[in-house]
Amino acid sequence: MAGDDLKFMKMAMRLARRGLGTTEPNPMVGAVVVKGGRVLGFGFHARCGAAHAEAMALERLAVPGATLYLTLEPCSHFGKTPPCADLIVRKQVRRVVMAMLDPNPLVNGAGLARLRAAGIQAEVGLCRAEAERLNRHYLAFMRAGRPWVALHAGVSLDGKMTDREGRSRWVTPPELRRCSHGLRGEFSAVMAGAGTILADDPLLTLREPGWEGKPLLRVALDTANELPRDRRIFRDQERFPLVLFSGLSAAGGGKKAERHLFVPEDGDELSLDAVLKELAGMGVASLLVEGGGRLIDSFLRQGLWDEAVFFYSGRIVGGRDAVQPFASGAGLDAAPELAERHWSRLAGGAILRGYRCSLA
């Protein structure tokens, strides 16, 4: 049965991935119902507020004694949907194989206990590492109380984000930029600093095919509260809401958006820790930081990041004054390092994606 267990759990993992970018702040979950080696039902959590994977998979189950494969422990509390653990009991499932427990304090072992109390054989741990990587956004949100933070930059072959004059258009070619914009769909929010907004006037919206209707929060950091309202980031707030952060010392400048928050400063920049906690309070489970260089440098320097995605062009730009992702630098013994590095080649360049080595 061990081989079948792995096969069906892998199937549940593939189903769970279909919720990428649309379930947050809830997790991605896949479910497969099997009896006698035959799949009787399957499901996945498609978006926040929609039916849970277990409910979809068990909807038409009419025979007792099945095995249910789940990428995450079933919920045991009433939320937007009834408890899935109770549904599993009612459907007379004989065995449940789970990849991992749910760290949500409202669950965290309670779903497992409910199943075992009903006499169901319940097991945890198959493909746990894969399940944790899949739901890394959710786990950071639950365990650390802040969004998962991914740093994103388009850079030249020698690691420059701009030329020596400070111009960033265009360091990377169109093919990489299209892929870069599509990356936003994986996250709850995208962030840029005032310098980038003033220099490049980005929309920070989601325009790539496949993400139609996907919510995306735009976050702008404007310490001095000096961004003019004619910047494009102030447009289309009904479709792509804006959250603006400024320093407490700049509160006298008034609010420029419905959600304009004033947080403590850390020297001449905003407290990123305070910003992340405010975003978590809004239900933001993941954040894509798009720049500029100073902002990315701050996240790296303060260790408030989890992932990096760099889009490399084939150009060598050079220049001592050109902006780079980590200008403040670090000694070799303290230099940030990427684990699980993955390179992807595209026309005009390559993509490097990896995670902090300290990731638990």
Side-chain angles (χ1 to χ4, degrees), residues 216 218 232-243 256-259:
L216 182 69
R218 297 177 293 175
R232 296 198 298 171
I233 200 168
F234 288 97
R235 302 177 190 173
D236 202 12
Q237 292 190 48
E238 184 174 344
R239 171 72 177 87
F240 299 103
L242 173 66
V243 179
K256 294 178 180 175
E258 183 177 345
R259 282 190 279 189

Side-chain angles (χ1 to χ4, degrees), residues 312-332:
Y312 282 88
S313 73
R315 294 180 173 181
I316 299 174
V317 175
R320 292 187 180 89
D321 296 327
V323 174
Q324 53 191 346
F326 195 22
S328 62
L332 286 176

Side-chain angles (χ1 to χ4, degrees), residues 185-203:
E186 296 183 20
F187 296 84
S188 298
V190 58
M191 175 186 284
T196 294
I197 294 170
L198 289 171
D200 298 340
D201 198 15
L203 282 166

Side-chain angles (χ1 to χ4, degrees), residues 76-338:
S76 53
H77 64 288
F78 282 90
K80 293 183 178 179
T81 60
C84 289
D86 289 352
L87 173 63
I88 294 169
V89 173
R90 288 199 307 274
K91 289 288 185 174
Q92 297 181 297
V93 172
R94 179 184 66 84
R95 179 172 175 249
V96 178
V97 181
M98 293 166 273
M100 61 176 290
L101 296 180
D102 188 341
N104 185 337
L106 296 174
V107 187
N108 199 19
L112 174 65
R114 175 73 181 92
L115 298 179
R116 288 178 173 170
I120 295 173
Q121 181 184 344
E123 307 161 20
V124 184
L126 182 63
C127 297
R128 178 186 284 121
E130 184 178 347
E132 290 187 345
R133 178 62 74 208
L134 176 70
N135 271 315
R136 57 191 182 274
H137 297 179
Y138 175 72
L139 296 183
F141 182 64
M142 281 294 164
R143 292 172 176 170
R146 65 163 177 82
W148 172 276
V149 175
L151 307 179
H152 162 233
V155 296
S156 65
L157 197 58
D158 55 336
K160 306 296 185 181
M161 296 175 66
T162 70
D163 64 14
R164 62 187 181 186
E165 306 298 330
R167 295 171 298 193
S168 61
R169 292 191 174 182
W170 294 106
V171 171
T172 54
E175 297 87 348
L176 288 182
R177 292 200 298 274
R178 282 194 292 271
C179 186
S180 168
H181 290 160
L183 179 67
R184 294 171 183 169
E186 296 183 20
F187 296 84
S188 298
V190 58
M191 175 186 284
T196 294
I197 294 170
L198 289 171
D200 298 340
D201 198 15
L203 282 166
L204 295 184
T205 55
L206 192 54
R207 308 183 290 278
E208 296 306 302
W211 295 112
E212 294 83 0
K214 143 83 182 177
L216 182 69
L217 195 70
R218 297 177 293 175
V219 182
L221 302 190
D222 180 21
T223 305
N225 196 10
E226 293 178 341
L227 277 178
R229 288 187 175 88
D230 63 357
R231 297 288 90 180
R232 296 198 298 171
I233 200 168
F234 288 97
R235 302 177 190 173
D236 202 12
Q237 292 190 48
E238 184 174 344
R239 171 72 177 87
F240 299 103
L242 173 66
V243 179
L244 192 60
F245 285 95
S246 296
L248 289 173
S249 63
K255 296 178 66 174
K256 294 178 180 175
E258 183 177 345
R259 282 190 279 189
H260 190 165
L261 305 180
F262 298 89
V263 297
E265 289 131 300
D266 184 5
D268 60 349
E269 58 189 28
L270 297 179
S271 166
L272 294 181
D273 187 59
V275 168
L276 293 178
K277 286 178 180 176
E278 290 286 354
L279 291 174
M282 298 176 195
V284 175
S286 62
L287 174 68
L288 184 66
V289 179
E290 290 205 356
R294 181 180 176 185
L295 182 58
I296 291 176
D297 181 275
S298 295
F299 275 98
L300 283 165
R301 181 166 29 86
Q302 297 180 39
L304 293 172
W305 65 286
D306 305 286
E307 180 179 4
V309 190
F310 292 153
F311 289 74
Y312 282 88
S313 73
R315 294 180 173 181
I316 299 174
V317 175
R320 292 187 180 89
D321 296 327
V323 174
Q324 53 191 346
F326 195 22
S328 62
L332 286 176
D333 57 342
E337 185 176 355
L338 286 182

